[in-house]
């Protein structure tokens, strides 16, 4: 009798095992969510034309092809409570911020959430980007400010060889390269003062006559409103801010972000966009 019972029990166990073959046990939705990689994307309102559509298409592709979970907060002028609460409530693999205007807020938030990886992307090139020191949990991508210098080096050298003095119009935030206007030639630099435009123009007129300027070069976009006055001096004029076509190629940049998240290849640091990601040409 005991032997018969043992045999019956064995047959039942085999049947149970066989019935389970080829059927995957259901996974709890919470466990599945934990297995997915997830990112929070925050973008500023001043994205280049078409970038928001390109970003939306990329995010949908990442979700379908890579099973990447994401949340996108567009048109943000600051990392507000909505963004910060989302970081508190969700264990994101990365927070991706696109837009230089959000960098200051992002650095403060990165200090508040040291266990979160932050990736900051400049949305358009700046000749003199604000200096930034990445934290241990931040990676920052910026355009190479030196590109402007490289493009204009030959022209500036030609003027110097020809003995043609240049008056540079700029601001403290847009320093003219020292190789173009060394400190001993300070009289060739005029700092634009939007608070006192008449006094500033008088100073420009005085210095241009003092050095017998052969060129006036606008090195800061802040003074673009004064072009009519500048041209009234009847000195050859060059607007460097409008003479370079510098654009970012977002397809390779977004592909890099995708690969970064997929392969866990995130690394802290300050980076410049590669030649494949940014192009600059003289107009």
């Amino acid at each position: 009798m005991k032997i018969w019972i043992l045999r019956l029990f064995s047959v039942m166990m085999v049947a149970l095992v066989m019935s389970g073959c080829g059927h995957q046990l259901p996974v709890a939705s919470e466990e599945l969510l934990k297995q997915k990689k997830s990112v929070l994307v925050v973008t500023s309102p001043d994205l280049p034309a078409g970038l928001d559509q390109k970003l939306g298409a990329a995010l949908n592709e990442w979700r379908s092809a890579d099973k990447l979970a994401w949340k996108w907060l567009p048109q943000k002028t600051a990392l507000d409570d909505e963004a910060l609460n989302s970081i508190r409530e969700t264990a994101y693999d990365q927070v991706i911020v696109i837009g230089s205007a959000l960098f200051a807020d992002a650095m403060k938030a990165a200090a508040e959430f040291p266990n979160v990886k932050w990736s900051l992307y400049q949305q358009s090139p700046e000749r003199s980007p604000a200096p930034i020191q990445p934290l241990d949990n931040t990676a920052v991508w910026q355009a190479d400010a030196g590109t402007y210098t490289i493009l204009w080096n030959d022209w500036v050298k030609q003027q110097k060889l020809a003995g043609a003095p240049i008056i540079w119009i700029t601001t403290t935030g847009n320093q003219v390269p020292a190789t173009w206007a060394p400190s001993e030639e300070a009289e060739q630099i005029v700092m634009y003062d939007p608070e006192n435009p008449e006094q500033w123009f008088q100073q420009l007129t005085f210095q241009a006559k003092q050095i017998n300027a052969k060129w006036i070069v606008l090195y800061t976009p802040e003074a673009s409103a004064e072009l009519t006055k500048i041209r009234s001096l009847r000195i050859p004029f060059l607007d460097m801010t409008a003479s370079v076509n510098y654009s970012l190629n977002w397809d390779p940049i977004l592909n890099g972000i995708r690969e970064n998240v997929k392969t866990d290849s995130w690394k802290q640091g300050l980076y410049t966009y590669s030649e494949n990601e940014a192009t600059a040409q003289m107009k």
Side-chain angles (χ1 to χ4, degrees):
M1 184 67 176
K2 290 182 179 180
I3 295 176
W4 181 84
I5 292 174
L6 287 173
R7 286 179 177 175
L8 179 61
F9 179 75
S10 299
V11 171
M12 291 174 64
M13 290 299 295
V14 170
L16 285 171
V17 172
M18 292 298 291
S19 66
C21 291
H23 295 81
Q24 186 175 0
L25 292 175
V27 180
S29 58
E30 291 184 4
E31 289 299 319
L32 183 61
L33 185 60
K34 290 179 181 178
Q35 292 173 13
K36 281 188 175 183
K37 292 184 181 299
S38 62
V39 296
L40 173 66
V41 181
V42 186
T43 57
S44 63
D46 56 343
L47 296 186
L51 178 54
D52 49 354
Q53 292 89 347
K54 190 181 292 288
L55 176 58
L59 289 173
N60 286 328
E61 170 66 17
W62 301 354
R63 179 168 55 194
S64 60
D66 305 326
K67 309 304 179 187
L68 175 66
W70 53 266
K71 181 176 182 178
W72 180 14
L73 301 178
Q75 301 288 317
K76 288 293 184 183
T77 57
L79 264 72
D80 54 15
D81 288 342
E82 181 184 15
L84 298 178
N85 287 336
S86 184
I87 297 170
R88 293 187 184 99
E89 296 166 1
T90 305
Y92 292 110
D93 291 274
Q94 277 191 49
V95 176
I96 298 167
V97 178
I98 301 178
S100 306
L102 297 173
F103 278 16
D105 274 4
M107 294 300 288
K108 292 179 183 177
E112 182 180 348
F113 299 96
N115 295 324
V116 178
K117 297 174 183 176
W118 293 73
S119 296
L120 282 57
Y121 293 84
Q122 186 183 50
Q123 89 287 7
S124 59
E126 299 173 16
R127 183 170 51 250
S128 299
I132 188 169
Q133 182 61 45
L135 303 176
D136 290 341
N137 61 330
T138 59
V140 182
W141 277 261
Q142 292 181 312
D144 186 359
T147 301
Y148 283 91
T149 306
I150 294 170
L151 288 173
W152 283 107
N153 255 340
D154 288 344
W155 183 86
V156 175
K157 286 180 180 178
Q158 289 173 6
Q159 307 315 310
K160 287 184 173 293
L161 288 174
I166 301 172
I167 284 286
W168 299 89
I169 301 174
T170 190
T171 59
T172 54
N174 281 306
Q175 295 292 333
V176 179
T179 54
W180 293 358
S183 57
E184 60 268 22
E185 298 176 2
E187 72 279 359
Q188 295 190 15
I189 298 177
V190 179
M191 293 294 178
Y192 177 59
D193 183 2
E195 301 297 326
N196 300 287
E198 292 300 327
Q199 184 178 349
W200 166 81
F201 184 68
Q202 290 175 8
Q203 183 65 31
L204 171 64
T205 304
F206 170 76
Q207 289 184 220
K209 290 180 178 179
Q210 183 183 41
I211 69 169
N212 191 24
K214 301 303 181 185
W215 282 95
I216 294 178
V217 176
L218 184 63
Y219 195 72
T220 177
E222 285 87 344
S224 297
E226 310 294 341
L227 295 186
T228 301
K229 286 184 178 180
I230 296 171
R231 289 194 172 98
S232 71
L233 295 176
R234 299 186 180 279
I235 297 173
F237 170 74
L238 175 64
D239 183 358
M240 279 192 176
T241 68
S243 301
V244 175
N245 183 11
Y246 194 158
S247 59
L248 298 178
N249 306 321
W250 283 97
D251 285 334
I253 293 174
L254 292 174
N255 286 338
I257 296 175
R258 177 183 187 177
E259 193 66 19
N260 188 311
V261 176
K262 279 177 58 178
T263 61
D264 291 320
S265 55
W266 182 95
K267 290 183 179 180
Q268 181 270 357
L270 182 62
Y271 303 92
T272 56
Y273 292 118
S274 67
E275 292 182 358
N276 186 41
E277 296 169 335
T279 56
Q281 295 178 332
M282 303 286 285
K283 290 184 180 178

